Amino acid sequence: MFENLISALKAEKRTIVFTEGEDARILEAASRLKKDGLMDSILVGNVEAVKAAAAKGGFDIEGMEIIDPATYPEMDAMVAKMVELRKGKMSEEDCRAALSKGNYFGTMLVKMGKADALLGGATYSTADTVRPALQLIKTKPGAHLVSSCFILVREKDGVEEKLAMGDCAINIDYPDSKDKEGNVTLKGSQKLAEVAIETANTAKAFGIDPKVAVLSFSTKGSGKGGTVALSREATEYAKEMNPDLAIDGELQFDAAVSPVVAATKCKGSPVAGQANTFIFPSIEAGNIGYKIAQRLGGFAAYGPILQGLNAPINDLSRGCNADEVYQMAIITAGLK
């Protein structure tokens, strides 16, 4: 599943910054990345502490750049840049205090072009990784929100099966955005359509030919209320945004994956019965859905992979191991 990403990394050497450079899991993963020649790593932390942790674990970090925010020679320039980016929302004192922490410091290294990508969250919460990215990196041109995707993989009958699911980690729901006068500036269904497009793009990077099902508890008007209209309208907006994308909705999950059910409920659909990319109408549905697939379906889950940002930044689980750090580093830098 990493074939496309590894090819991209070998074609163009990239640098990733790890916000928790003293963590043994980070050091083990960075050592493996170096050995495999996949990317350069910047480790954020106290230089002596990082080196001591690496020596204790027997991890080879020779040649890696270790940067301590407390002694960073370009800190004044970084503070000035952050003050400019925050536009009166944070004072110089506030910015300097924030940049003493690895999450903000690492994000600014990406913003200032010192690194191509960032991976954090081994000790930080998801909010502490995503917040600096939203404040400093911001969304890419044309994007209105940040979302997430999980890639799920299992072997079935000797064949690797891959699915994409979004958004399962970031957006709680999809309310309309309104201006001060109460006028709708961006509909919730347009936001969900954007999630669908971004998730399909992420799926392609993992070798999935996306067939996108926008899910609900209703199939083609069989139910009313709840998120039915949201999913249906999101499907129409996504078709306008990308006419070539195979997408349909609103669909119940059984109609999305079962050819028998699809033949009864939505015959002729380009997606129903064969969907491999699933868009959920709320975080409750998405988070529950991917964890059911993981725990009962035997899928390995990779993510959350953040979508819509101006640079590749991703979050780790605080319960992650070195293998997961290694894999997420390939995903993060490879999706640049």
Side-chain angles (χ1 to χ4, degrees), residues 76-262:
D76 288 344
M78 184 178 279
V79 170
K81 180 65 176 176
M82 185 170 170
V83 170
E84 177 189 337
L85 290 169
R86 296 302 290 139
K87 296 178 180 176
K89 295 178 181 177
M90 293 176 71
S91 67
E92 179 178 335
E93 183 180 352
D94 292 336
C95 290
R96 195 173 294 275
L99 289 169
S100 69
K101 302 173 183 176
N103 57 339
Y104 273 95
F105 183 80
T107 305
M108 279 301 294
L109 288 179
V110 175
K111 181 65 179 179
M112 299 181 78
K114 305 287 186 181
D116 301 300
L118 177 146
L119 186 59
T123 59
Y124 288 110
S125 68
T126 295
D128 285 337
T129 300
V130 175
R131 188 183 304 109
L134 288 173
Q135 292 176 347
L136 305 173
I137 301 297
K138 303 181 181 179
T139 54
K140 64 186 180 183
H144 299 93
L145 75 165
V146 174
S147 62
S148 72
C149 169
F150 279 87
I151 300 296
L152 293 103
V153 184
R154 71 176 176 183
E155 187 175 305
K156 185 177 181 181
D157 301 326
V159 177
E160 186 179 64
E161 182 179 2
K162 293 180 286 190
L163 307 173
M165 294 185 174
D167 174 0
C168 308
I170 301 296
N171 295 288
I172 294 175
D173 54 15
Y174 300 92
D176 293 343
S177 294
K178 299 180 180 179
D179 61 21
K180 294 178 180 179
E181 286 72 41
N183 301 307
V184 175
T185 56
L186 187 70
K187 295 186 68 173
S189 51
Q190 291 174 301
K191 296 178 185 178
L192 187 59
E194 193 171 302
V195 173
I197 298 294
E198 290 289 341
T199 303
N201 289 337
T202 302
K204 289 178 185 176
F206 288 90
I208 300 171
D209 180 16
K211 294 178 174 58
V212 184
V214 184
L215 299 174
S216 182
F217 61 86
S218 165
T219 297
K220 300 295 185 178
S222 65
K224 299 186 186 308
T227 59
V228 173
L230 172 73
S231 295
R232 184 186 305 128
E233 289 180 14
T235 303
E236 296 308 312
Y237 279 122
K239 288 178 180 178
E240 293 175 9
M241 294 164 67
N242 187 349
D244 296 327
L245 181 64
I247 185 169
D248 204 1
E250 85 284 6
L251 297 176
Q252 290 165 285
F253 190 80
D254 57 354
V257 299
S258 168
V260 174
V261 176

Side-chain angles (χ1 to χ4, degrees), residues 150 165-169 280-291:
F150 279 87
M165 294 185 174
D167 174 0
C168 308
F280 295 91
S282 69
I283 198 172
E284 287 97 341
N287 196 268
I288 292 168
Y290 100 80
K291 287 184 176 177

Side-chain angles (χ1 to χ4, degrees), residues 259-278:
V260 174
V261 176
T264 301
K265 291 189 173 183
C266 41
K267 189 175 181 179
S269 168
V271 166
Q274 54 182 330
N276 56 23
T277 301
F278 303 96

